[in-house]
Amino acid sequence: MSNKTVKTDEDWKKQLTPEQYEVARKKGTERAFTGKYYATKEKGIYRCVCCGAELFSSDTKFDSGTGWPSFWKPANEQNVETETDRSHGMVRTEVTCHQCGAHLGHLFDDGPAPTGQRYCINSASLNFEKKVP
C-alpha cells in the first residue's frame, strides 16, 4: 500500500496558486530572480508546496547566482527523487517530490563541496518554515 499523496488536477488547482500549479504540477519554471526564496537567508526548512514533505534545509542553501534557490543536498534524501528530463531539446536531471510527484526543479553537477551538486529549485514549489530560536 502506498502512502503517496494523490489528488485530482481540480483538487490541486483549489489548493495551489496558478503559478504554484503551473510549476509544481505541470513542470513549469518560474523566471530567474522572481521567486520569493531565491535570496532568502533565514534559517529553516523548505517543504513541498503540495504535500508539506521536508525537502531542503537552509543549512545547505547557497547563492549560485542563477536566480533560483540552490542547495547542495536535500534535507531528507528519501523525500526527493530524480529522473531524466529530455524536454526543451536538452537532457537534464529533473528533481521531484517523492511523496506527491511535484516538479521541484533540476539537478546539476556544478555545485560546491562536499557534494558538487546544485539542486536548482523553483520557489513556487516550496514553502519555507522558519526555524524558531
Side-chain angles (χ1 to χ4, degrees):
M1 176 129 190
S2 174
N3 290 327
K4 291 197 179 214
T5 302
V6 178
K7 294 184 180 186
T8 66
D9 269 354
E10 286 307 310
D11 288 337
W12 288 123
K13 285 180 182 178
K14 289 176 188 172
Q15 175 184 329
L16 304 169
T17 69
E19 181 184 34
Q20 290 169 335
Y21 177 79
E22 177 61 28
V23 172
R25 304 315 313 171
K26 296 299 179 184
K27 299 186 181 205
T29 301
E30 66 200 13
R31 288 185 16 245
F33 302 101
T34 64
K36 62 183 175 180
Y37 300 127
Y38 87 89
T40 299
K41 303 286 187 209
E42 295 179 281
K43 295 292 184 187
I45 295 294
Y46 293 86
R47 295 185 177 277
C48 178
V49 72
C50 295
C51 70
E54 182 178 315
L55 301 172
F56 298 95
S57 167
S58 60
D59 293 338
T60 63
K61 188 173 189 279
F62 68 99
D63 183 0
S64 65
T66 62
W68 288 280
S70 297
F71 306 86
W72 50 266
K73 80 170 193 173
N76 185 334
E77 305 259 348
Q78 295 174 335
N79 289 344
V80 176
E81 292 183 336
T82 60
E83 62 184 62
T84 301
D85 174 3
R86 297 182 189 281
S87 65
H88 307 291
M90 58 184 113
V91 179
R92 301 177 289 176
T93 302
E94 179 185 10
V95 181
T96 60
C97 174
H98 173 77
Q99 181 65 30
C100 69
H103 170 74
L104 303 176
H106 290 89
L107 174 61
F108 301 96
D109 290 326
D110 60 2
T115 65
Q117 296 184 315
R118 172 173 54 97
Y119 287 82
C120 188
I121 306 299
N122 291 287
S123 290
S125 297
L126 302 172
N127 274 329
F128 181 68
E129 186 179 294
K130 189 175 177 178
K131 184 177 181 179
V132 179

